Amino acid sequence: MDNVNKYRICMVSDFFYPLIGGVENHIYQLSQCLIEQNHKVIVVTHAYNDRVGVRYMANGLKVYYLPYRPFYNNTILPTVFSTIPLIRSILLREQITIVHGHSSFSTLAHETMHHAKTLGIRTVFTDHSLFGFADLSSVLTNKILQVSLVDCHHIICVSHTCKENTMLRANLKSSKISVIPNAVDSSAFTPDITLRPASDEIVIIVASRLVYRKGIDLLIGILPKILRKYSNVKFRIAGNGPKEIDIREVIEREGTEDRVALEGSVNHDKMRDFLNSGHIFLNTSLTEAFCMAIVEAAACGLLVVSTKVGGIPEVLPSEDTQSDIMILCEANINDVFIGLCNAIDRIKLGQIPNANQWHDKIKNWYSWRYVTQNTEVVYNHIMTKESISLKERIQRYKQCGFVSGFVMSFVAIIAYLIFLFLDYHQPKKLIDLSVDYMNLRKNHFELLANELIHEVLDYLSPIHIIKCFKNLNKRFSHLISQRLLKVDLTHLSKIQYNELIQILPLKQINSLKISNRWTINIVKHIPFKSMNNLQVLILAHISYNELRYLFEPKNLFLIFQQLNIFKIQSTNINGLDRERIFVLKKIFSQMPKLRLCQIPLIDVNDFDDLTPSFTLERLIIDYCTMMCLGK
């Protein structure tokens, strides 16, 4: 691909990892494939608990976790203007040419697309859901979608049903919307029939959120009927939600606890084995734009029984086309019951889908590379269009109705004025441009994810980490500042120590070991007060007299009181009994958090006057000292 067709793309949505779901997986997989095609891709989402700031994922995918907290249903509070400074800075710093928003529910996606239009950046939106038209929530969501997409360059839907729904909701022309189906990572969902029961037992798999929209009331209605009719059928249900209580009530009422297993939330990496443990996959959704779960189940070779709603009939060939992989039913209890009975009878007769054959079909039909190629076509198309001016945007807003048009025109003008003020207060030329990783090799060290970099750093000493990486760049400075360090000052000279103590971040030291003939002199000069996270201290070549010197000052002993592990090794046994007893009493009575202690014992009778702390879990006594005493 030549430089003309390399784009800098900003994926934006309120829904991204660490959340697990269809939108989150779509953004991640599409981003990875676009990076493989030498595009630059970043992801913008809101903060999740302590996950705030910039994080790096595989292949150098940069994720901005903005410091905005979720307000409702994992979306931020809609404010429009408050996000302008940060979004503007990111889009300019990353030199973004295309902003790609995801999900109609995402407030952050709509606001970022609005700001991108003010900057003259092309926008694309992918709709992943179906909505109604009657209830108040749908009316408000549809109006927001209409004013957001009226000046969007292009829209992508995941199914033809989703396209029709979006056209009606947002009053859009058909030519402005493209259909690009979702995809599945076929390598993560391979068939393995050996995980199925060896007996004549038939297992039905259900995997969805246990909410009304997923048709859990239909599931509750057919459970007793199926279990009464077929004594060899069992259910395994994965997921959680408010309807879980209703399912448990049915199970207890029917006394079928041994035949219905509620598995709770199943991790994505374990979903393949979970699916392969069954014969039939049941989906009872009341509305779906594109059901990824049935594609994953089919990739594992399961016979699928699903309600005939939304875009599901487009996903897999059904019974009507002589398919042996999916049976479609109307969204009512009787029809789903009949369809499920039909599937069970098929399994009994040995009419099991050829798992490997269907896996190969799914692999060819639903490939992320195919999705990427079609998305690139959309990107190429919108880049041939002119950016939309403020005047033209206001004209388009008037098409959305008098009130909506007036409000959005006012918002657009105020946002434009804020951008003018920011251009004066923080000119574009003063914004540092980010490093363009497209020009770096794919195996470049800085492109590794944070988790992998931490694994690499585990093999290095803290001294080398600080010297080599601390001032490399802002990212590594931040990574180093998050690590707790295990520092070993063994065999350092005074000069080396004095040099090192100037660069070591004392607040990050979690474990400290000092072992040489300068021990006591070094310890005297260590600023322990700054070591708030110190939990492990190991001292060697130190006498009880010197230890007493350390324990006597109150300000110095305070740091010892926070230790979890304290070891005294290779100690000079010379010293008075009162010094030894003083030190041992301090250790056992005034170190309240101590869990592990190692000490050299001069006299076994020392324990007569000592009472170990109740928190002490393990006491190690220097065996060599005991041997010298003939004990």
Side-chain angles (χ1 to χ4, degrees):
M1 183 180 296
D2 50 35
N3 291 331
V4 176
N5 292 327
K6 286 183 179 179
Y7 304 125
R8 294 177 172 84
I9 305 155
C10 173
M11 300 285 180
V12 56
S13 179
D14 280 298
F15 310 104
F16 194 65
Y17 293 122
L19 289 183
I20 301 296
V23 177
E24 295 85 348
N25 185 60
H26 182 102
I27 295 173
Y28 176 80
Q29 296 289 355
L30 179 59
S31 298
Q32 292 294 335
C33 291
L34 288 170
I35 290 174
E36 289 181 1
Q37 297 300 315
N38 293 325
H39 297 287
K40 176 179 179 178
V41 184
I42 67 169
V43 177
V44 175
T45 186
H46 64 69
Y48 288 93
N49 298 324
D50 60 343
R51 191 182 287 255
V52 184
V54 179
R55 301 290 180 96
Y56 283 83
M57 304 184 78
N59 289 329
L61 176 61
K62 183 189 288 187
V63 184
Y64 284 89
Y65 289 95
L66 306 186
Y68 305 125
R69 297 296 175 183
F71 170 68
Y72 173 74
N73 198 23
N74 278 316
T75 61
I76 65 170
L77 178 69
T79 59
V80 182
F81 304 122
S82 66
T83 56
I84 290 178
L86 194 51
I87 295 297
R88 170 184 177 270
S89 179
I90 292 173
L91 297 181
L92 294 178
R93 184 175 187 275
E94 299 289 347
Q95 305 173 72
I96 298 300
T97 55
I98 297 174
V99 171
H100 193 157
H102 293 263
S103 180
S104 300
F105 277 121
S106 176
T107 306
L108 185 60
H110 292 304
E111 291 193 7
T112 303
M113 289 168 59
H114 186 273
H115 304 331
K117 297 163 193 170
T118 307
L119 288 172
I121 299 174
R122 275 76 169 177
T123 58
V124 179
F125 180 78
T126 297
D127 198 359
H128 297 261
S129 305
L130 299 178
F131 287 87
F133 301 91
D135 58 288
L136 180 61
S137 174
S138 297
V139 171
L140 293 175
T141 304
N142 294 343
K143 179 55 68 173
I144 293 172
L145 187 69
Q146 181 184 10
V147 298
S148 177
L149 300 187
V150 70
D151 54 351
C152 182
H153 288 84
H154 205 79
I155 296 93
I156 298 172
C157 291
V158 295
S159 67
H160 291 280
T161 303
C162 181
K163 175 180 177 178
E164 294 175 5
N165 183 262
T166 303
M167 285 173 57
L168 294 173
R169 290 160 53 209
N171 193 23
L172 297 171
K173 294 181 180 179
S174 175
S175 59
K176 198 175 181 181
I177 306 176
S178 298
V179 176
I180 303 177
N182 264 321
V184 63
D185 184 3
S186 56
S187 62
F189 293 94
T190 54
D192 186 359
I193 60 174
T194 61
L195 296 176
R196 296 176 182 176
S199 60
D200 62 348
E201 185 178 282
I202 297 176
V203 178
I204 300 174
I205 298 294
V206 178
S208 74
R209 286 179 285 120
L210 305 183
V211 295
Y212 170 78
R213 194 172 71 88
K214 293 297 182 178
I216 302 304
D217 290 331
L218 297 180
L219 175 63
I220 293 171
I222 64 171
L223 261 176
K225 293 184 176 182
I226 292 294
L227 295 175
R228 290 178 197 143
K229 184 174 181 179
Y230 299 98
S231 59
N232 64 331
V233 169
K234 290 187 176 181
F235 281 83
R236 295 189 68 189
I237 303 173
N240 47 40
K243 289 291 183 178
E244 181 178 349
I245 298 175
D246 298 336
I247 297 176
R248 290 189 181 277
E249 288 180 356
V250 172
I251 294 172
E252 292 176 4
R253 185 176 67 243
E254 299 292 326
T256 55
E257 290 87 348
D258 58 330
R259 298 177 62 190
V260 181
L262 292 175
E263 308 287 349
S265 179
V266 177
N267 291 335
H268 190 71
D269 59 338
K270 297 179 181 178
M271 184 55 73
R272 177 254 183 194
D273 291 344
F274 177 75
L275 291 173
N276 277 302
S277 67
H279 303 81
I280 300 170
F281 182 84
L282 176 61
N283 173 59
T284 57
S285 293
L286 300 180
T287 174
E288 286 283 358
F290 185 102
C291 186
M292 284 299 302
I294 65 175
V295 179
E296 294 168 352
C300 292
L302 275 72
L303 178 58
V304 177
V305 178
S306 176
T307 49
K308 189 178 181 180
V309 296
I312 289 179
E314 305 174 33
V315 177
L316 292 172
S318 65
E319 189 181 30
D320 299 334
T321 57
Q322 305 301 316
S323 167
D324 62 347
I325 196 65
M326 185 166 76
I327 299 174
L328 289 176
C329 319
E330 296 298 330
N332 59 70
I333 294 176
N334 289 333
D335 211 46
V336 174
F337 174 71
I338 294 171
L340 194 54
C341 290
N342 187 6
I344 295 172
D345 293 338
R346 280 195 192 181
I347 300 298
K348 282 187 172 183
L349 295 173
Q351 297 176 2
I352 302 174
N354 187 314
N356 292 323
Q357 181 182 10
W358 274 104
H359 176 79
D360 292 337
K361 288 183 179 180
I362 298 297
K363 183 178 179 180
N364 293 328
W365 290 346
Y366 296 107
S367 167
W368 281 112
R369 298 188 186 280
Y370 171 80
V371 174
T372 304
Q373 290 173 3
N374 284 276
T375 305
E376 285 182 303
V377 172
V378 172
Y379 291 164
N380 292 333
H381 172 67
I382 66 172
M383 292 305 293
T384 61
K385 296 184 177 181
E386 297 291 333
S387 59
I388 304 173
S389 64
L390 178 61
K391 181 179 179 180
E392 185 178 352
R393 289 172 63 196
I394 292 175
Q395 292 295 326
R396 295 191 183 188
Y397 289 143
K398 292 180 180 179
Q399 302 171 11
C400 301
F402 177 77
V403 176
S404 302
F406 176 79
V407 171
M408 285 306 301
S409 298
F410 176 77
V411 169
I413 293 171
I414 296 299
Y416 181 77
L417 294 176
I418 293 175
F419 271 90
L420 290 179
F421 172 77
L422 291 174
D423 286 340
Y424 172 77
H425 183 69
Q426 188 185 23
K428 297 178 182 179
K429 62 181 181 181
L430 297 182
I431 297 178
D432 293 333
L433 301 181
S434 64
V435 177
D436 191 352
Y437 289 112
M438 291 189 297
N439 296 326
L440 300 178
R441 295 172 58 188
K442 289 294 182 184
N443 58 354
H444 197 282
F445 181 69
E446 291 190 4
L447 286 181
L448 292 176
N450 290 348
E451 292 79 5
L452 294 178
I453 291 178
H454 279 300
E455 288 185 19
V456 173
L457 297 181
D458 287 340
Y459 290 92
L460 303 177
S461 70
I463 297 172
H464 292 138
I465 292 174
I466 298 300
K467 285 186 174 180
C468 298
F469 297 102
K470 179 67 175 177
N471 298 316
L472 186 61
N473 56 37
K474 291 182 179 180
R475 180 195 175 196
F476 277 90
S477 295
H478 180 68
L479 288 177
I480 301 304
S481 66
Q482 293 179 321
R483 292 181 64 86
L484 292 177
L485 304 177
K486 296 181 180 180
V487 178
D488 186 352
L489 302 181
T490 304
H491 307 307
L492 286 185
S493 65
K494 285 185 177 179
I495 297 175
Q496 291 173 321
Y497 165 77
N498 291 330
E499 177 186 355
L500 182 63
I501 204 67
Q502 300 298 323
I503 63 172
L504 271 178
L506 301 180
K507 291 183 178 180
Q508 294 175 233
I509 297 179
N510 177 256
S511 174
L512 180 63
K513 181 177 180 180
I514 306 173
S515 176
N516 58 36
R517 61 193 183 91
W518 304 105
T519 297
I520 189 59
N521 293 323
I522 289 178
V523 170
K524 287 179 182 178
H525 296 91
I526 289 180
F528 281 105
K529 292 181 181 179
S530 302
M531 298 185 187
N532 300 328
N533 291 308
L534 184 64
Q535 295 184 345
V536 180
L537 181 61
I538 303 173
L539 301 177
H541 300 292
I542 184 170
S543 68
Y544 277 108
N545 183 40
E546 293 168 332
L547 280 172
R548 177 165 186 163
Y549 170 83
L550 293 177
F551 285 155
E552 278 185 337
K554 292 184 179 180
N555 58 346
L556 186 58
F557 184 67
L558 287 175
I559 199 68
F560 288 84
Q561 292 181 318
Q562 71 184 35
L563 295 178
N564 290 332
I565 298 175
F566 182 54
K567 295 183 180 181
I568 307 171
Q569 300 174 340
S570 305
T571 302
N572 184 350
I573 63 174
N574 295 327
L576 300 175
D577 288 346
R578 64 175 181 273
E579 294 170 345
R580 185 174 71 254
I581 296 300
F582 173 84
V583 171
L584 294 177
K585 282 184 176 181
K586 282 279 189 180
I587 294 174
F588 287 124
S589 63
Q590 298 185 29
M591 296 178 71
K593 298 182 180 180
L594 193 64
R595 292 188 294 104
L596 186 150
C597 180
Q598 178 179 346
I599 57 173
L601 194 64
I602 305 302
D603 189 341
V604 72
N605 296 322
D606 287 344
F607 277 113
D608 294 342
D609 299 324
L610 298 175
T611 304
S613 170
F614 70 92
T615 61
L616 191 63
E617 299 174 1
R618 187 179 179 190
L619 176 63
I620 303 174
I621 299 174
D622 190 338
Y623 181 71
C624 295
T625 304
M626 296 292 290
M627 289 293 292
C628 293
L629 294 171
K631 302 293 184 181

